[in-house]
Amino acid sequence: MRGLSVGYVVRRVGMFLFTIWASATLMFFIPRLAPGDPVQAMITRITSQAGYVEGSGKLVAAWRARFGLDDPLPVQYLHYLKSMATFDFGYSLAQFPAEVGTMIGRALPWTVGLLVIATALSFLAGSVIGALMAWRRTPRLLRVFLPVSLTFTAIPFYILGIVLIYVFVFTLRLFPISGGYRGDLTPGISLAFVNSVVQHGTLPALSIVLASMGFWALGMRGMMVTVAGEDYLTLARAKGLRPLDILFRYEIRNAILPQVTALVLGIGGIVGGTVLVEYLFGYPGMGALLYQAISTTDYTVMQGIVFILILTTVTAVLIIDLVYPLLDPRISYERR
Amino acid sequence: MDPTAVTQIQERADEPADSGGRPTSPWRNRKLLAGAGMVVGVLVLTLAGRLLWDTTLARAASSPLNLPPFWLRGGSLAHPLGTENSGRDMLALLVVGGPTTLQVGLVVGVTSMLVGTVLGFAAGYRGGAVDTVIRTLSDTALTIPTLAILVVISAYVRQMDVTTMALIVALFAWAGPTRLIRAQVLSMREQGYVRMARLTALPTRHIMFGEMMPNLLPYLAASFIGATSGGILAAVGLEALGLGPQRIPTLGMTVSNAISGSAILRGMWWWWGFPTLVLMVIFIGLFLLAIGLDEVANPRLRGAKA
C-alpha cells in the first residue's frame, strides 16, 4: 500500500502493545507501592462487612485467588497480566456480585458515542474556523466573530459544562438535567428513545465541542499561515484558479494533515475531559461509573474502567496513525 | 534597585526585535501582556486577600449556612460573597484556593520543564539509542489518558497535600515539553551557528546552554505555560472528582462540593460561580500567555491578524 510499509505497521503495533503493557504494569504496582497494603485492607474491609454482604465469603475467596496473595510477586504479576488480557476484571467490590466487565459493557457505548460525535464535530468546526481565520478573503464580519469562539478553548470542559447547565437547564429549561435518556422509555430503536438520547446528549457534547474547537482552530490557522507562503499557491493564483478552489484544494488540503497529528495527541486529553463531563451531567457512561467507583472506593471497577479507557484511547491513536500515511502522500515512513 | 539590572532586562526584551529589525519588540505582544495581567491579577488579589480577610472562615461551620452575596436579600457584609452548604465563607475559599491552584500549576510547570529540557536536549542532540528510548517513553505518556491513571494513583494516596498532588500530576506532564524541545533541538542542531560552534570544539554543554538555549527561550516559555495550564487542568479535575487534598480547600474542591450539593438547581450561583470565574480568569490568562508566546516564537503567526 502507498506510504504504508510493513516496518511502520509493525513498529506502530509494537508501540500499541508497549503502551498497554506499560499502563497495565503501572496500575499493578501503584496499589503495591502505596503504604499499608491496600489489597489486604480491601479484604479486611469486605470481611468486616461480612454480615451485610451476601456471598462475601465467596468474594474474599475470589479475591485471594485472583490476586494470589500468597504467591510471590512475579507470579501475581503474571496472573494480573493474564486477567487484563482476557478482560477478566473480577467482581465489583461495592456492588457484589455484579461483574466489572458487565458494568463496563453497559457504560462503554455511551462514552464511545459521545466521544466520537463530539470529537468529530469539534474537529470539523475548529478546522473550518481556523481556515477562515487565516484566509485573506474572509469577510470582515466573520473576522471579528472568530476569535471570540476561541475564548471557550481556554476553559476546561467541566467548567464550561457547569455554565451550560446553569444557562440551558436551570434558566432556560431547554434540556433535561441528567441521565442518558428519559427513565420511562425502554432502550431500543424507536423515535421517542432516539429523540430522548439526542436531547440528553446535546449539552455534554456541546461542552466538549465548545471547549476543544478553538484548539483545532488555532492549529489550523497556524498551518494555513505556514502554507500561505508556498510557491504552488502563487502558481495557482497566476493560473487564475478560482479563490474557493485554491482554498479547498490547495490550502486546506495541505494544512489539515498536521491537524490529524494534533487529533492523535489530543485524544488522551479528550477522554480525560469526558470523564468529568459525564460525571457533571450524570451521563451513564464510563465517567459517571468511574466517579461512582471512586466515591464507593470500588478499586476493581476503577482499575477496569481505567484499563478500558486506556485501551480505547490507544486503539484510536493506532487507527489514526495507520490511516494517516494513506491520507498524506508526502509522508513515507521508510527510514531514511 | 540596581539600575544596571533594569537596563539588562531592557536589553534582553529588545534583543529579538533587533535581530528581526522590527521597531517594536514582539515581547510587547498584546495577548502576552493581557494574559500575564490576568494571571498576576489573580495572584495579587488573592494574596492581598489573605492579608485582609480571615482565612479561617474557609473552614466548615465557621459561618452561617447558605448566605447569598451581600447585594442580595438576606446577604450580609460579614460574608460579602455569601457562604455555602457547610458554612464556609466564599471569599475566604477563593482567597485560600486561588494561590493554591496557581501553586500546583507552578510546581507542575517547573518540574515538567526541568525534566523536559534535560530529556529533550538529550534525545535531540545525542540521538541514537538515547533518542529511541526517550521518544518511546514520551509517546507512551502522551497517548495514555493522564487523568484516568491519575485517578487510580490519587485514590490510593491517602495523605494528599497540595505538593504531593502537584508532583503526581507532574509524573505525566513532562512528555509534552520533551517532545517539543526535542523537535526544536533537532532542527536547530543542523543550523550554521551550531555547526560552527561544534567545529570550534566548544564543549557540548556550552553549545547546548550557551548557543542553543537562548534561541529556544520563547519555545521554553510557551511550553512552560502549556505545562502549567495542563497541570492546573488535571489538578482541578482530580479535585472535582473528590481526590484532591482534603485539608486545604481548593477551587476544584469547592466546585465539586457545589455540584454534589446541587447548588445549580438550588439557585445558589455564588457557590459554583465565583470559583468557576476565578478558574476561568486563570485559564484564559494562561491561554493568552501561551498564544502570545507562540507568536513571539513563530514570527509567521504574527503577520496574520487574529
Side-chain angles (χ1 to χ4, degrees), chain A residues 59-97:
Chain A
L59 178 61
V60 171
W63 263 96
R64 283 211 159 270
R66 182 157 133 63
F67 274 93
L69 282 177
D70 311 317
D71 294 340
L73 204 61
V75 179
Q76 288 185 40
Y77 178 58
L78 287 179
H79 275 295
Y80 167 83
L81 283 187
K82 192 186 153 219
S83 61
M84 284 290 146
T86 52
F87 297 107
D88 168 24
F89 303 115
Y91 296 102
S92 159
L93 292 180
Q95 297 183 36
F96 187 82

Side-chain angles (χ1 to χ4, degrees), chain B residues 49-136:
Chain B
R50 208 169 256 234
L51 298 176
L52 300 174
W53 196 249
D54 182 8
T55 51
T56 55
L57 289 175
R59 292 192 195 134
S62 60
S63 320
L65 313 183
N66 303 332
L67 279 185
F70 72 90
W71 60 86
L72 294 180
R73 229 154 54 111
S76 93
L77 270 176
H79 305 286
L81 300 183
T83 61
E84 42 93 290
N85 214 2
S86 50
R88 298 168 198 259
D89 177 69
M90 284 311 300
L91 182 57
L93 281 177
L94 296 186
V95 162
V96 175
T100 313
T101 305
L102 288 172
Q103 184 199 336
V104 172
L106 200 66
V107 172
V108 176
V110 168
T111 323
S112 58
M113 279 315 289
L114 284 178
V115 177
T117 310
V118 171
L119 292 184
F121 264 99
Y125 201 80
R126 289 256 168 255
V130 180
D131 184 32
T132 311
V133 171
I134 293 176
R135 215 184 43 212
T136 311

Side-chain angles (χ1 to χ4, degrees), chain A residues 258-281:
Chain A
Q259 287 284 93
V260 182
T261 319
L263 181 65
V264 173
L265 291 181
I267 285 178
I270 298 172
V271 170
T274 325
V275 169
L276 286 151
V277 167
E278 285 184 8
Y279 153 61
L280 188 64
F281 285 93

Side-chain angles (χ1 to χ4, degrees), chain A residues 1-6 9 322-323 325-326 331-332 334:
Chain A
M1 239 183 290
R2 190 181 64 185
L4 198 59
S5 73
V6 179
V9 175
L322 289 182
V323 170
L326 299 180
I331 288 188
S332 154
E334 298 297 337

Side-chain angles (χ1 to χ4, degrees), chain A residues 17-294:
Chain A
L17 294 175
F18 176 77
T19 309
I20 294 170
W21 168 79
S23 38
T25 303
L26 209 57
M27 283 197 298
F28 175 80
F29 285 106
I30 291 164
R32 282 161 184 81
L33 288 176
D37 188 7
V39 178
Q40 196 58 52
M42 202 151 58
I43 302 234
T44 320
R45 194 167 49 240
I46 302 158
T47 345
S48 72
Q49 296 174 338
Y52 307 98
V53 183
E54 194 189 336
S56 70
K58 213 170 103 194
L59 178 61
V60 171
W63 263 96
R64 283 211 159 270
R66 182 157 133 63
F67 274 93
L69 282 177
D70 311 317
D71 294 340
L73 204 61
V75 179
Q76 288 185 40
Y77 178 58
L78 287 179
H79 275 295
Y80 167 83
L81 283 187
K82 192 186 153 219
S83 61
M84 284 290 146
T86 52
F87 297 107
D88 168 24
F89 303 115
Y91 296 102
S92 159
L93 292 180
Q95 297 183 36
F96 187 82
E99 274 186 65
V100 177
T102 332
M103 294 166 78
I104 290 177
R106 231 178 296 139
L108 193 62
W110 293 98
T111 298
V112 171
L114 183 66
L115 253 183
V116 168
I117 294 174
T119 309
L121 283 180
S122 74
F123 183 79
L124 284 178
S127 296
V128 169
I129 292 177
L132 287 177
M133 276 171 75
W135 196 36
R136 50 179 78 183
R137 287 166 189 274
T138 303
R140 195 165 284 275
L141 194 70
L142 268 178
R143 269 190 193 285
V144 180
F145 164 75
L146 292 176
V148 177
S149 66
L150 294 188
T151 319
F152 295 114
T153 302
I155 307 166
F157 301 93
Y158 42 97
I159 297 291
L160 205 56
I162 297 176
V163 178
L164 287 179
I165 292 184
Y166 182 70
V167 174
F168 288 104
V169 180
F170 180 73
T171 313
L172 300 174
R173 298 184 189 280
L174 283 178
F175 290 100
I177 168 74
S178 73
Y181 55 92
R182 250 172 56 201
D184 54 342
L185 295 170
T186 34
I189 306 296
S190 70
L191 197 63
F193 180 72
V194 171
N195 186 26
S196 168
V197 167
V198 170
Q199 268 196 0
H200 281 82
T202 306
L203 283 187
L206 192 64
S207 63
I208 298 177
V209 171
L210 283 181
S212 52
M213 196 171 67
F215 176 64
W216 310 125
L218 273 184
M220 188 69 185
R221 171 171 160 266
M223 276 318 296
M224 288 281 288
V225 173
T226 312
V227 170
E230 302 281 347
D231 290 339
Y232 56 79
L233 284 184
T234 318
L235 177 68
R237 275 187 217 109
K239 283 203 294 192
L241 293 182
R242 277 179 307 162
L244 268 182
D245 271 357
I246 299 179
L247 176 69
F248 281 101
R249 291 178 41 199
Y250 291 77
E251 290 188 78
I252 290 187
R253 218 186 139 193
N254 285 300
I256 201 148
L257 283 155
Q259 287 284 93
V260 182
T261 319
L263 181 65
V264 173
L265 291 181
I267 285 178
I270 298 172
V271 170
T274 325
V275 169
L276 286 151
V277 167
E278 285 184 8
Y279 153 61
L280 188 64
F281 285 93
Y283 204 70
M286 304 283 275
L289 194 62
L290 182 62
Y291 180 70
Q292 189 196 326
I294 292 169

Side-chain angles (χ1 to χ4, degrees), chain B residues 118 121-122 125-126 185 203-214 216:
Chain B
V118 171
F121 264 99
Y125 201 80
R126 289 256 168 255
V185 170
T204 312
R205 207 185 323 137
H206 180 86
I207 299 178
M208 281 187 185
F209 297 105
E211 305 284 330
M212 293 165 85
M213 194 77 119
L216 275 175

